[in-house]
């Protein structure tokens, strides 16, 4: 066992103590865990130097002051370790230093003032010293291993925290992007809703415009078509007035001719029947105009398609002639006399016929204006029963259509007419009326430069 007999050993212990304490400060990370105590440990060498200077000044030549200083250093180390005992390696160091401190304390107590240990304690203290040193070294390694483990755990936590912060940053960025995208989509949705509202309004206006254009065509045709029965009514009324006058004169004669009176009454009766007949015709035309102009009721009623087709054939023809007095065309009605009444919405189907016939007359007029020799504008309408279907065909020998136009003819807003002469909704609405409103079909067959035929098929 080493036995310090000179206080000069303090000068060796002091720097060693400073180095050990410095390693302890670094090992336990005292600048962060115990900042005030860490600063105080910078002066651990001062008590040793003061003891040395005091011993020199007092001329103390044999003492165990070096053990006292060593005990002081060990006590400080134990106090520091206790102060940071929450740190697991510090607890291991506390276990490591405690036996050595106890050994030094016992040695200090049993030593004589000259630093000698009684012989009866010498062997026991040597054994205790060896055990304390082995214990100290073992637990220092344990503490070092714990520190490495804690360091790995700390680095792992830092990586996890870094990854967590990265994920949180990414989530925040994604949330920001989602919010921006949501705001953009909401704005786009608002714009689309506004555009859809405007589109529906425009669509309603265009449909109404198309209906008014159709009504205009119908009105022009009616103005001419109704003129004939009105002329008959006026003429027969005038003739009837003359017959009444002649009858009154004959009755005032003293010698009345009863046979002549009978003939006059028969003529008058016949004229009144003609007036009633043509008045009914005029009333029928007016009634058809009113039905066409008002909104569809959606109710299907048995309808004579032959009469409906013939009426609208003449109305469409006279409608075009109202715009162009020089236009003439040959009308070819070909109706199946055995065709049964078909349940349709007459005003809707009338709009379809008027649109198809107006287009047919427009096509033959366009071809006529080309000045082809021997060309005679012709529009025909025919009906026939085909199985459980009724076919209604509208045919013209006009300009015809290429296949590229036929593929688009029923699309909304598509038109071959110049700007201002068509909205491009007529055939689209007609197609919807036939297919959706009546469960039928509307097809077109055309050859460019030869003519066009529209075929309406309806359930019989």
């Amino acid at each position: 066992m080493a036995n310090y007999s000179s206080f000069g050993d303090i000068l060796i212990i002091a720097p060693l103590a400073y180095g050990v304490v410095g390693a302890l400060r670094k090992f336990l990370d005292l600048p962060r865990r115990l900042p005030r105590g860490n600063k105080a440990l910078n002066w651990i060498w001062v008590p040793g130097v003061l003891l040395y200077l005091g011993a020199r000044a007092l001329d103390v030549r044999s003492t165990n002051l070096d053990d006292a200083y060593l005990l002081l250093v060990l006590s400080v180390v134990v106090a520091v370790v206790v102060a940071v005992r929450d740190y697991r390696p510090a607890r291991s160091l506390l276990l490591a230093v405690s036996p050595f401190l106890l050994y030094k304390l016992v040695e200090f107590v049993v030593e004589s003032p000259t630093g000698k240990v009684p012989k009866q304690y010498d062997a026991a203290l040597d054994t205790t010293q060896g055990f304390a040193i082995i214990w100290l070294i073992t637990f220092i390694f344990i503490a070092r291993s714990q520190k490495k483990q804690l360091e790995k755990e700390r680095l792992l936590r830092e990586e996890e925290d870094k990854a967590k912060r990265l994920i949180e940053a990414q989530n925040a960025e994604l949330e920001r992007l989602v919010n921006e995208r949501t705001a953009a989509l909401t704005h786009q949705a608002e714009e689309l809703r506004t555009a859809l509202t405007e589109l529906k309004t425009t669509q309603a206006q265009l449909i109404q415009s198309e209906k008014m254009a159709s009504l205009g065509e119908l009105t022009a045709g009616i103005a001419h078509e109704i003129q004939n029965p009105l002329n008959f009514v006026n003429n027969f009324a005038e003739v009837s007035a003359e017959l009444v006058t002649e009858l009154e004169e004959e009755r005032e004669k003293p010698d009345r001719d009863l046979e002549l009176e009978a003939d006059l009454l028969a003529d008058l009766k016949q004229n009144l029947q003609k007036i009633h007949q043509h008045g009914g015709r005029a009333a029928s035309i007016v009634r058809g105009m009113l039905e066409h102009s008002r909104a569809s009721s959606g109710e299907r009623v048995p309808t004579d398609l032959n009469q409906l087709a013939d009426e609208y054939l003449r109305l469409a023809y006279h409608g075009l002639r109202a715009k162009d007095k020089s236009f003439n065309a040959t009308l070819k009605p070909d109706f199946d006399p055995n065709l049964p009444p078909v349940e349709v919405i007459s005003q809707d189907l009338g709009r379809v016929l008027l649109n198809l016939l107006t287009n047919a007359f427009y096509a033959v007029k366009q071809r006529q204006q080309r000045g082809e020799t021997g060309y005679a504008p012709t529009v025909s309408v025919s009906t026939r029963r085909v199985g459980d279907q009724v076919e209604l065909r509208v045919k013209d020998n006009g300009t015809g259509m290429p296949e590229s136009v036929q593929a688009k003819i029923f699309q909304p807003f598509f038109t071959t007419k110049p700007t201002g002469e068509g909205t491009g909704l007529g055939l689209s609405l007609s197609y919807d009326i036939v297919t959706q409103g009546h469960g039928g079909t509307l097809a077109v067959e055309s050859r460019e430069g030869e003519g066009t035929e529209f075929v309406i098929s309806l359930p019989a």
Side-chain angles (χ1 to χ4, degrees):
M1 180 191 69
N3 185 18
Y4 303 103
S5 58
S6 172
F7 61 82
D9 290 339
I10 295 178
L11 296 180
I12 299 174
I13 296 173
L16 288 176
Y18 184 80
V20 170
V21 169
L24 180 68
R25 293 163 61 191
K26 183 177 180 181
F27 184 81
L28 296 179
D29 193 16
L30 293 183
R32 182 174 64 86
R33 299 179 184 277
L34 197 66
R36 292 184 179 180
N38 178 64
K39 292 180 180 179
L41 290 176
N42 287 326
W43 307 99
I44 193 66
W45 55 272
V46 173
V49 174
L50 291 177
L51 284 173
Y52 173 77
L53 295 176
R56 288 293 300 267
L58 297 175
D59 195 21
V60 178
R61 296 188 180 277
S62 179
T63 182
N64 52 4
L65 292 179
D66 51 349
D67 287 336
Y69 175 64
L70 184 57
L71 283 173
L72 174 64
V73 172
L74 290 174
S75 300
V76 171
V77 169
V78 170
V80 170
V81 172
V82 170
V84 293
R85 60 186 175 278
D86 292 337
Y87 185 44
R88 190 167 58 187
R91 293 196 295 270
S92 297
L93 287 180
L94 181 61
L95 290 174
V97 174
S98 296
F100 190 75
L101 174 62
L102 183 60
Y103 157 74
K104 293 304 294 182
L105 183 61
V106 172
E107 184 185 48
F108 181 76
V109 170
V110 299
E111 276 184 344
S112 65
T114 61
K116 298 292 183 177
V117 177
K119 289 183 179 182
Q120 63 269 27
Y121 300 117
D122 193 22
L125 288 177
D126 284 343
T127 301
T128 304
Q129 183 183 36
F131 172 77
I133 292 174
I134 294 173
W135 181 276
L136 177 65
I137 294 172
T138 301
F139 273 89
I140 285 176
F141 278 105
I142 292 174
R144 185 170 175 272
S145 177
Q146 289 176 342
K147 181 176 175 64
K148 288 183 178 180
Q149 182 64 30
L150 290 175
E151 187 67 19
K152 289 180 181 180
E153 293 176 359
R154 183 185 65 80
L155 293 175
L156 182 60
R157 284 196 302 272
E158 288 181 354
E159 290 294 329
E160 291 176 351
D161 291 341
K162 183 178 179 182
K164 184 178 179 180
R165 288 194 297 272
L166 180 61
I167 292 173
E168 290 176 351
Q170 290 176 345
N171 289 339
E173 180 66 15
L174 287 174
E175 185 175 357
R176 183 185 65 80
L177 293 175
V178 168
N179 290 335
E180 289 181 357
R181 186 60 177 167
T182 301
L185 290 175
T186 303
H187 181 67
Q188 291 177 0
E190 290 294 334
E191 291 181 345
L192 288 175
R193 276 194 288 269
T194 302
L196 180 60
T197 302
E198 294 176 354
L199 182 61
K200 287 182 178 179
T201 302
T202 304
Q203 184 182 27
Q205 292 174 349
L206 286 173
I207 292 175
Q208 184 63 26
S209 175
E210 184 68 27
K211 289 182 178 179
M212 293 305 295
S214 176
L215 182 61
E217 297 284 350
L218 179 65
T219 304
I222 286 174
H224 284 74
E225 186 69 11
I226 205 172
Q227 191 65 44
N228 290 330
L230 288 179
N231 286 339
F232 278 110
V233 168
N234 292 333
N235 291 336
F236 283 113
E238 185 178 350
V239 172
S240 298
E242 293 176 357
L243 290 174
V244 170
T245 302
E246 188 177 348
L247 180 61
E248 289 176 346
E249 291 176 353
E250 184 64 26
R251 292 183 63 183
E252 290 176 356
K253 291 179 181 181
D255 187 14
R256 295 170 58 184
D257 188 347
L258 297 178
E259 185 177 353
L260 177 60
E261 289 182 5
D263 291 339
L264 290 173
L265 288 174
D267 290 341
L268 183 59
K269 182 178 180 180
Q270 184 178 6
N271 287 348
L272 290 175
Q273 290 176 346
K274 294 291 184 180
I275 289 173
H276 180 268
Q277 178 184 350
H278 291 288
R281 172 62 180 160
S284 174
I285 294 172
V286 171
R287 185 168 57 253
M289 180 185 69
L290 292 175
E291 288 180 354
H292 186 89
S293 62
R294 64 171 174 256
S296 172
S297 64
E299 182 180 355
R300 300 186 190 183
V301 294
T303 304
D304 185 351
L305 289 187
N306 293 340
Q307 180 182 352
L308 188 71
D310 183 65
E311 182 177 346
Y312 278 95
L313 173 63
R314 301 183 187 283
L315 291 177
Y317 176 60
H318 290 301
L320 186 58
R321 277 184 52 80
K323 298 179 182 178
D324 185 1
K325 300 290 185 182
S326 64
F327 174 73
N328 288 288
T330 301
L331 307 184
K332 287 187 176 181
D334 181 16
F335 302 130
D336 184 355
N338 299 320
L339 193 70
V342 180
E343 291 191 354
V344 297
I345 306 172
S346 58
Q347 57 265 47
D348 285 355
L349 192 59
R351 289 192 181 100
V352 174
L353 286 170
L354 185 63
N355 185 267
L356 297 180
L357 289 165
T358 301
N359 288 341
F361 284 116
Y362 179 84
V364 297
K365 180 183 177 184
Q366 292 296 111
R367 184 173 178 182
Q368 184 185 46
Q369 291 176 348
R370 295 178 182 176
E372 297 181 17
T373 304
Y375 173 69
T378 304
V379 175
S380 63
V381 179
S382 63
T383 59
R384 64 174 179 169
R385 176 75 177 266
V386 181
D388 59 351
Q389 299 285 316
V390 173
E391 280 190 358
L392 201 159
R393 294 174 176 263
V394 177
K395 185 177 182 181
D396 65 75
N397 62 344
T399 55
M401 293 180 291
E403 291 184 0
S404 59
V405 173
Q406 294 181 48
K408 303 176 183 178
I409 198 68
F410 297 122
Q411 294 179 4
F413 307 110
F414 178 81
T415 180
T416 58
K417 296 179 181 179
T419 303
E421 293 191 21
T423 62
L425 281 174
L427 287 176
S428 174
L429 293 175
S430 298
Y431 184 83
D432 290 342
I433 290 172
V434 172
T435 58
Q436 299 179 16
H438 291 82
T441 61
L442 176 59
V444 60
E445 300 172 3
S446 182
R447 290 186 179 181
E448 191 172 6
E450 296 183 14
T452 302
E453 183 176 24
F454 285 92
V455 182
I456 301 174
S457 279
L458 299 172

